[in-house]
């Protein structure tokens, strides 16, 4: 039996990509799987419980990283001291701990594990899985869900640490998985000798039935993420909605938000016909249940850093799996995706509010066109962009790494 150890710096419910992998591995009797992950939020822990109950043949080893745990305070203080030393003395000591306060705790936990292959999610686990795998003479792979050195400015201390860690540890991997074609392209240029594979953030086809009845005259739009911020392109979207003078638009925004952000966004809607509502995050299963009820999924990514320019977020694929028309900003990755997958929505130039208004006007006036777009999106999910097909790449990656 092949033993696989997977680890992450965050909750299971924060990482749908990891959960899809677990769903796949749980169905293969020749694999014994253990997951080491961190828990720090009570609400997300409740969602984790549902996932764990569903995957009873997988071993789950959560690390308590709540604020009440003295270990978190202790290791966080160590990390901050190391960063202060680095910043003032220009000397990088123990960069693994600087990049992730839970590194030492994770390393100690992984030392007690036994596996044939170590697989990591999130940059904070990269050094740990490779150190443990090499010490034990085992294989290792890593999932780059983001282009990590592109997440911060090149002058930022974190960027320097990230580049150091990537250059030291990524070449030691047996295989590197990336979450978008452009991220795979960038890492291939940096590490051409390494085996690379792109696995998109696709989902199972959403088979839920529509249960929520909205007004027939309204265009039903949705945007979701873990965090609602003022750097997610929502100002453009709401300003564009405000200028739509025909019909009604309902926009639901789902994610963690503060009152300041909420009020700033609401003020942008000057049209009383349109309805903007905010909702706290939902469990993955509940999110699936409600997405099927909307017409339009909003992917309003901006380009605050290079990573956000070339990544493809979970949301765009989840919209496709739910059969929604996609309204997407023209980041490099999203433009490439929309160009390759025609007639599933529309792309707009970041900051071009008039263009957003025109697209929404077209869809709200021409329901037949909108329904055809939604059917094309649904068809694309059923025939191409679904986890039932994409998971084969993941399983092939494991077999390749084990050679």
């Amino acid at each position: 039996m092949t033993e696989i150890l997977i680890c992450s710096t965050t909750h299971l419910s924060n990482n749908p990509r990891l959960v899809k992998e677990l769903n796949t591995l749980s169905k293969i009797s020749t694999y014994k799987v253990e997951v080491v992950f961190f828990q720090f939020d009570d609400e997300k822990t409740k969602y984790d419980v549902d996932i764990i109950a569903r995957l009873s043949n997988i071993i789950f080893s959560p690390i308590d990283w709540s604020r009440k745990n003295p270990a978190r305070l202790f290791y966080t203080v160590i990390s901050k001291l190391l960063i202060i030393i680095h910043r003032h003395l220009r000397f990088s000591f123990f960069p693994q701990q600087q990049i992730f306060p839970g590194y030492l705790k994770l390393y100690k936990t992984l030392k007690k594990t036994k596996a044939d292959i170590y697989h990591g999610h999130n940059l904070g686990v990269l050094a740990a899985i490779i150190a443990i795998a090499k010490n034990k003479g085992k294989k290792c792979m890593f999932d780059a869900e983001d282009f990590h050195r592109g997440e911060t400015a090149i002058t930022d201390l974190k960027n320097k640490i990230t580049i150091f860690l990537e250059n030291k540890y990524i070449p030691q991997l047996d295989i590197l998985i990336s979450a978008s074609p452009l991220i795979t392209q960038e890492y291939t240029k940096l590490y051409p000798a390494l085996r690379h594979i792109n696995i998109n953030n696709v989902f199972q086809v959403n088979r839920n039935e529509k249960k929520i009845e909205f007004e027939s005259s309204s265009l039903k739009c949705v945007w979701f993420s873990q965090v609602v911020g003022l750097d997610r392109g929502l100002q453009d979207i709401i300003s564009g909605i405000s200028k739509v003078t025909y019909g009604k638009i309902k926009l639901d925004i789902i994610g963690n938000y503060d009152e300041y952000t909420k009020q700033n966004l609401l003020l942008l809607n000057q049209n009383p016909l349109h309805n903007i509502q905010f909702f706290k995050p939902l469990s993955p299963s509940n999110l699936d249940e409600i997405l099927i009820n909307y017409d339009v999924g909003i992917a309003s990514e901006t380009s605050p850093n290079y990573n956000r320019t070339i990544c493809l977020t979970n949301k765009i694929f989840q919209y496709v799996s739910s059969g929604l028309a996609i309204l997407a900003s023209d980041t490099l990755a999203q433009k490439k995706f929309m160009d390759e997958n025609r007639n599933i929505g529309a792309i707009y130039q970041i900051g071009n509010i008039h263009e957003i208004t025109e697209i929404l006007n077209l869809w709200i006036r021409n329901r037949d066109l909108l329904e055809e777009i939604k059917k094309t999106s649904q068809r694309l999910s059923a025939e191409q962009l679904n986890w039932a097909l994409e998971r084969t790449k993941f399983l092939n990656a494991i077999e390749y790494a084990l050679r």
Side-chain angles (χ1 to χ4, degrees):
M1 181 173 284
T2 301
E3 295 180 297
I4 303 172
L5 189 289
I6 306 179
C7 61
S8 169
T9 61
T10 189
H11 288 269
L12 301 172
S13 55
N14 274 356
N15 196 332
R17 190 171 171 89
L18 169 58
V19 174
K20 285 181 288 189
E21 293 175 358
L22 297 179
N23 284 331
T24 298
L25 295 173
S26 70
K27 296 177 174 64
I28 301 176
S29 59
T30 55
Y31 289 155
K32 179 182 178 182
V33 182
E34 180 178 359
V35 189
V36 175
F37 62 103
F38 286 72
Q39 291 183 315
F40 46 83
D41 181 276
D42 289 343
E43 192 66 29
K44 293 294 175 61
T45 298
K46 293 177 186 176
Y47 298 152
D48 289 347
V49 170
D50 293 338
I51 296 168
I52 291 169
R54 199 169 66 242
L55 300 170
S56 57
N57 59 337
I58 289 178
I59 301 167
F60 291 93
S61 303
I63 294 175
D64 178 13
W65 207 240
S66 59
R67 292 186 181 278
K68 63 185 178 182
N69 186 351
R72 173 172 171 171
L73 175 62
F74 175 72
Y75 288 122
T76 300
V77 168
I78 290 176
S79 293
K80 289 183 177 179
L81 287 173
L82 290 170
I83 291 170
I84 290 170
I85 291 171
H86 192 170
R87 185 170 285 120
H88 288 85
L89 299 183
R90 300 183 182 278
F91 175 72
S92 180
F93 179 68
F94 211 173
Q96 305 94 319
Q97 183 68 21
Q98 289 184 55
I99 206 74
F100 176 50
Y103 174 81
L104 278 170
K105 179 65 176 177
L106 175 64
Y107 184 83
K108 290 178 181 178
T109 302
L110 293 182
K111 279 182 70 175
K112 302 171 186 175
T113 63
K114 178 176 173 288
D116 299 299
I117 183 166
Y118 287 81
H119 175 39
H121 284 261
N122 314 117
L123 181 62
V125 310
L126 176 64
I129 62 163
I130 292 175
I132 295 297
K134 297 306 177 183
N135 286 342
K136 294 175 180 283
K138 303 299 180 180
K139 304 292 187 174
C140 55
M141 50 195 274
F142 180 72
D143 193 328
E145 298 183 40
D146 292 285
F147 185 55
H148 295 296
R149 64 178 64 196
E151 292 179 294
T152 51
I154 58 172
T155 55
D156 194 283
L157 178 62
K158 183 179 179 180
N159 185 264
K160 292 178 171 62
I161 298 171
T162 298
I163 291 173
F164 173 84
L165 291 173
E166 287 190 341
N167 287 343
K168 180 176 180 179
Y169 291 106
I170 285 180
Q172 299 183 58
L173 290 167
D174 293 287
I175 190 165
L176 177 65
I177 299 169
S178 304
S180 87
L182 294 181
I183 293 176
T184 301
Q185 181 178 298
E186 290 295 333
Y187 276 123
T188 301
K189 286 190 290 187
L190 289 167
Y191 311 107
L194 190 62
R195 173 76 172 185
H196 296 265
I197 183 170
N198 167 235
I199 299 180
N200 288 318
N201 280 317
V202 294
F203 291 79
Q204 296 283 21
V205 178
N206 192 336
R207 304 291 186 187
N208 287 293
E209 295 182 5
K210 294 185 179 183
K211 295 180 180 178
I212 303 173
E213 292 296 329
F214 296 113
E215 291 183 59
S216 58
S217 61
S218 70
L219 187 66
K220 305 171 288 292
C221 305
V222 64
W223 179 99
F224 75 90
S225 191
Q226 289 183 27
V227 178
V228 180
L230 297 176
D231 61 344
R232 309 304 302 272
L234 286 167
Q235 293 97 316
D236 290 348
I237 295 297
I238 296 174
S239 297
I241 287 174
S242 181
K243 295 181 183 301
V244 173
T245 55
Y246 177 85
K248 300 176 182 178
I249 295 179
K250 175 178 174 56
L251 171 62
D252 288 347
I253 298 171
I254 304 169
N256 281 309
Y257 59 88
D258 57 43
E259 198 60 28
Y260 176 82
T261 299
K262 176 181 176 180
Q263 293 306 319
N264 270 270
L265 291 174
L266 287 175
L267 285 172
L268 296 172
N269 178 28
Q270 302 296 315
N271 190 330
L273 290 175
H274 306 317
N275 182 20
I276 316 292
Q277 287 190 295
F278 289 76
F279 299 90
K280 290 297 184 181
L282 301 169
S283 69
S285 58
N286 287 340
L287 183 62
D288 267 350
E289 288 175 4
I290 71 155
L291 282 180
I292 201 80
N293 299 283
Y294 293 91
D295 297 311
V296 179
I298 307 292
S300 56
E301 301 304 320
T302 57
S303 299
N305 55 56
Y306 187 57
N307 171 62
R308 291 269 284 278
T309 299
I310 65 173
C311 74
L312 282 174
T313 61
N314 288 332
K315 65 169 67 65
I316 201 166
F317 289 106
Q318 209 154 355
Y319 296 150
V320 171
S321 73
S322 298
L324 307 187
I326 296 170
L327 179 59
S329 58
D330 65 341
T331 64
L332 287 177
Q334 292 191 160
K335 187 175 188 307
K336 183 176 187 294
F337 176 81
M338 297 296 281
D339 286 344
E340 291 173 349
N341 300 284
R342 298 284 184 173
N343 304 319
I344 61 169
I347 197 113
Y348 68 89
Q349 183 181 35
I350 295 172
N352 192 330
I353 294 167
H354 175 73
E355 200 170 3
I356 294 169
T357 302
E358 288 300 300
I359 293 166
L360 294 173
N361 266 325
L362 174 64
W363 288 347
I364 202 168
R365 288 175 179 273
N366 192 335
R367 296 294 304 194
D368 290 341
L369 172 63
L370 179 64
E371 290 304 317
E372 191 57 40
I373 291 171
K374 290 168 65 178
K375 287 178 183 176
T376 303
S377 182
Q378 194 172 43
R379 199 158 49 241
L380 181 64
S381 174
E383 297 175 359
Q384 297 179 45
L385 295 180
N386 63 73
W387 183 246
L389 297 175
E390 202 77 359
R391 67 186 175 192
T392 303
K393 296 182 186 178
F394 174 62
L395 294 174
N396 289 342
I398 290 176
E399 293 305 311
Y400 178 88
L402 288 169
R403 291 176 188 172

